[in-house]
Amino acid sequence: MTASISPDPKASTPLDRTPAGVVPPRLEPAAAPLPWYRQLKAFRTNALTAWSRQAYERDVVPSSFLWRGRVLVNDPDGIRHVLVDNHANYRRTPASIRIIRPLMGDGLFLTEGKLWRHQRQTLAPAFTPRAIPVLARHIADATREAVAGIAARAEEGPVELVSFCQHLALDIAGRSMFSVEMSAHGAGMRRLIAHYAERLGRPYLLDFLLPAAVPNLHDLARRRFQAEWMGLIETIMAERFRGAARSADTPRDLFDLLRAARDPETGAEIPADELRDQVATMIVAGHETTALAIFWSLYLLALAPDIQEGVAREAAGIDLSRDGAALALPGLVLTRAVVQEALRLYPPAFVLVREAIGEDLVGGVPVRPRDLVMVAPWILHRHRKLWRDPDVFDPARFLPDAAPPDRFAYLPFGVGPRVCIGAQFALTEAVLVVAAMATAFRIGLPDHHPPVLPTAVITTQPDRAARFDLVRRTG
């Protein structure tokens, strides 16, 4: 089943249109593989330009980078082997640890082996379906206020939606984590995160060459950032501790659920420093990736007005208030499909890189210790062998009557033992926010708008602060 999209005569930026639908503005891959120095530049500026056309056509692409073997895996069986069947043979790279640890500390995202298994078992009860109603109420409250605020600004002209999505997702993270609005801390958190992504979050040559235990000059700056960032997290936690006493029977937020978590072996609470790192992990991973899922969904709906109208009709008859939000999810079938398709076209986590611990064989390619094995959702989700019309925006791929994609061809939240623990939380948030925005506004792009292209260093961001026309729906 393919969504039919009628051309929009008002669109001033030419779009590719096929019988299958709209093809959003896209990056054209290089015709041939890039030399190592151009790859390094791409990883620092826009990693999506680092891969050539063959990456989107071949099952396995072996190469080398800085004197190390490297394998890009697109074959679903090979991906299953690396991320599930033989996952213990792979670990995060020193470069990724250097860049991510200042933001997330030793939280679930970075830990390995026995410590990771211990943390996962301890945290898992806080991320069961019973937490969805708690989360949905916070999403509904924050979204209602955000929609009212942006409606007033939209009356004055086009509005910028990148920062809107970021601030809304951060507010939701704050409310769902701490039951507090982020007005006092949100601006400081966004400033720190943006500053980090602009400079220290970009990989440098020494990040690839030095072992993780050997610091370079950028690591020293990252440590200073980490002290400030974690200090802010501790301040917010201290305010939360001073708040009203929690009820064991009715948790208000994720913080209550995390504090209620117990070591499955000893019954002990999560230690304070580990709790801080887990909170930092949930805030960074949760709000940044979800904000992008929301933004790209709204952008795609602006390009495909007939699909947007379908979402608006679907959501119009559904209660999205704080009391009805959790029950609304089963009725938002098309909205969920739009978000899933946005996650296919613009996966926030564009690449997963693992370092081999021992020898292996992946897709017929020998892998040696310290070789790099890459699974890139950005490429995988647009691979010519795995998807029909891979560049087309077609939410019908994810409707109930469509054949589901191969489990190892669609990885917006990873797969295997290390699949994102908050995946259902993120999907719930994105679906409810997109439904609310489509119900409130007709979302369009101003005349003579330039195309919005993806750019990736840490996550898949839009290349500019895109502005949208938001026309309030009536009736």
Side-chain angles (χ1 to χ4, degrees), residues 280-327:
T281 297
M282 302 308 167
I283 287 178
V284 173
H287 104 270
E288 186 72 14
T289 58
T290 309
L292 291 170
I294 294 168
F295 170 81
W296 289 117
S297 296
L298 297 178
Y299 178 62
L300 291 168
L301 288 179
L303 298 179
D306 63 328
I307 296 179
Q308 181 184 156
E309 291 306 307
V311 171
R313 285 192 300 270
E314 174 182 79
I318 293 177
D319 181 7
L320 298 176
S321 70
R322 75 184 321 267
D323 295 323
L327 300 176

Side-chain angles (χ1 to χ4, degrees), residues 224-264:
R224 288 193 295 271
F225 164 86
Q226 185 174 15
E228 184 177 3
W229 169 250
M230 291 300 180
L232 178 57
I233 299 296
E234 289 173 348
T235 297
I236 299 172
M237 288 174 60
E239 292 177 4
R240 180 62 169 76
F241 277 121
R242 290 194 296 268
R246 62 189 166 116
S247 167
D249 297 327
T250 55
R252 295 162 292 176
D253 47 37
L254 286 175
F255 196 69
D256 277 350
L257 292 170
L258 289 176
R259 290 181 65 195
R262 293 294 182 268
D263 186 310

Side-chain angles (χ1 to χ4, degrees), residues 345-414:
L345 286 168
Y346 304 100
F350 61 93
V351 67
L352 310 173
V353 185
R354 297 291 184 266
E355 181 182 77
I357 299 171
E359 293 183 353
D360 200 1
L361 188 68
V362 179
V365 176
V367 174
R368 299 167 299 179
R370 297 192 69 248
D371 280 358
L372 302 179
V373 176
M374 308 172 70
V375 177
W378 171 263
I379 295 173
L380 190 68
H381 293 179
R382 295 170 180 260
H383 199 275
R384 302 306 184 241
K385 291 185 178 180
L386 298 174
W387 299 90
R388 181 194 70 252
D389 301 317
D391 293 320
V392 171
F393 170 50
D394 181 11
R397 304 176 202 271
F398 296 98
L399 291 177
D401 59 350
D406 188 292
R407 180 66 190 90
F408 295 91
Y410 179 64
L411 306 178
F413 299 106

Side-chain angles (χ1 to χ4, degrees), residues 431-442:
V431 169
L432 290 175
V433 172
V434 170
M437 288 291 288
T439 303
F441 305 107
R442 286 186 174 85

Side-chain angles (χ1 to χ4, degrees), residues 36-37 39-45 65-66 68 93-96 98-99 195-211 216-222 457-458:
W36 72 268
Y37 56 90
Q39 290 184 45
L40 181 61
K41 180 181 179 181
F43 289 142
R44 284 188 37 76
T45 55
F65 181 69
L66 297 177
R68 298 169 69 179
T93 66
S96 63
R98 290 176 186 278
I99 292 170
H195 174 72
Y196 189 83
E198 179 65 27
R199 189 170 66 90
L200 298 176
R202 298 176 184 272
Y204 294 84
L205 181 60
L206 289 179
D207 292 331
F208 294 104
L209 295 179
L210 293 177
N216 58 51
L217 291 177
H218 294 104
D219 289 328
L220 299 179
R222 288 167 181 149
V457 176
I458 298 178

